[in-house]
């Protein structure tokens, strides 16, 4: 386990509009406002299309991560996540999990890691900046899974 006290900075309310790319807009917002670390305590709205980590294939190694995606259309969504700095790429790296209800299937639900999404109508989210420590997500371990790390400027 790793833990640390977070020093938060600015808090933002953001509304994404119909047709916008959720992750692209989130990354652009962070870049514009100089946010390298933060968290999304929650977001809600609709997605016209969404791609979640998942597969309909047999999982050969249940201890290995699944890297493939499953696509859905016309969903309502509720989620949250973290934003960490990707040292290797030099960009922010959102890690978002979402639960979606498939509107055309009696709101049947899916929950997983968000890979891509296009906003339908509107999407509302709140973003809290973390000023200290810088959160990074290097690829660690046997499977190279991006893992949240806390890096203080003082070397703590």
């Amino acid at each position: 386990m790793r833990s640390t006290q977070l020093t938060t900075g600015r808090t933002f309310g953001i509304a994404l509009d119909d047709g916008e790319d959720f992750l692209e807009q989130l990354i652009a917002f962070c870049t514009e406002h100089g946010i390298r670390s933060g968290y999304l305590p929650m977001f809600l709205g609709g997605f016209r299309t969404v791609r979640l980590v998942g597969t309909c294939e047999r999982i050969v190694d249940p201890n290995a991560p699944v890297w493939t995606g499953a696509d859905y259309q016309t969903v309502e969504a509720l989620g949250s996540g973290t934003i960490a700095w990707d040292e290797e790429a030099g960009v922010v790296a959102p890690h978002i999990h979402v639960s979606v209800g498939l509107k055309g299937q009696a709101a049947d639900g899916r929950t997983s890691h968000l890979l891509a999404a296009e906003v339908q109508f509107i999407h509302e989210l709140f973003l809290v900046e973390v000023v200290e420590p810088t959160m990074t997500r290097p690829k660690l371990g046997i499977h190279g899974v991006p893992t949240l790390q806390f890096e203080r400027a003082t070397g703590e």
Side-chain angles (χ1 to χ4, degrees):
M1 173 188 280
R2 294 168 310 285
S3 67
T4 189
Q5 183 173 336
L6 302 178
T7 303
T8 57
R10 303 167 289 174
T11 300
F12 299 92
I14 304 165
L16 301 177
D17 294 320
D18 188 62
E20 291 186 313
D21 182 296
F22 182 87
L23 291 173
E24 182 180 287
Q25 291 299 312
L26 178 58
I27 291 168
F29 182 88
C30 290
T31 301
E32 178 182 339
H33 293 277
I35 298 168
R36 289 185 164 211
S37 300
Y39 62 92
L40 305 170
M42 73 77 125
F43 61 85
L44 56 91
F47 289 136
R48 181 170 287 109
T49 60
V50 65
R51 185 167 182 78
L52 305 176
V53 166
T55 183
C56 291
E57 304 296 321
R58 183 170 93 66
I59 296 176
V60 177
D61 182 356
N63 294 315
V66 173
W67 299 108
T68 58
D71 297 300
Y72 303 98
Q73 295 181 5
T74 317
V75 302
E76 291 294 319
L78 177 68
S80 63
T82 56
I83 296 174
W85 186 250
D86 182 335
E87 300 255 345
E88 195 175 298
V91 296
V92 293
H95 181 180
I96 310 291
H97 280 243
V98 62
S99 291
V100 300
L102 310 176
K103 290 186 200 178
Q105 295 177 16
D108 191 23
R110 303 287 188 272
T111 301
S112 194
H113 176 86
L114 179 68
L115 295 173
E118 178 188 343
V119 173
Q120 183 173 34
F121 308 125
I122 191 167
H123 221 87
E124 303 162 354
L125 58 139
F126 300 97
L127 188 153
V128 178
E129 176 184 39
V130 173
V131 177
E132 181 75 17
T134 298
M135 298 188 303
T136 61
R137 194 172 283 109
K139 295 176 181 164
L140 301 175
I142 190 168
H143 297 291
V145 175
T147 305
L148 188 65
Q149 303 293 311
F150 304 105
E151 298 184 11
R152 294 207 175 267
T154 60
E156 292 179 34

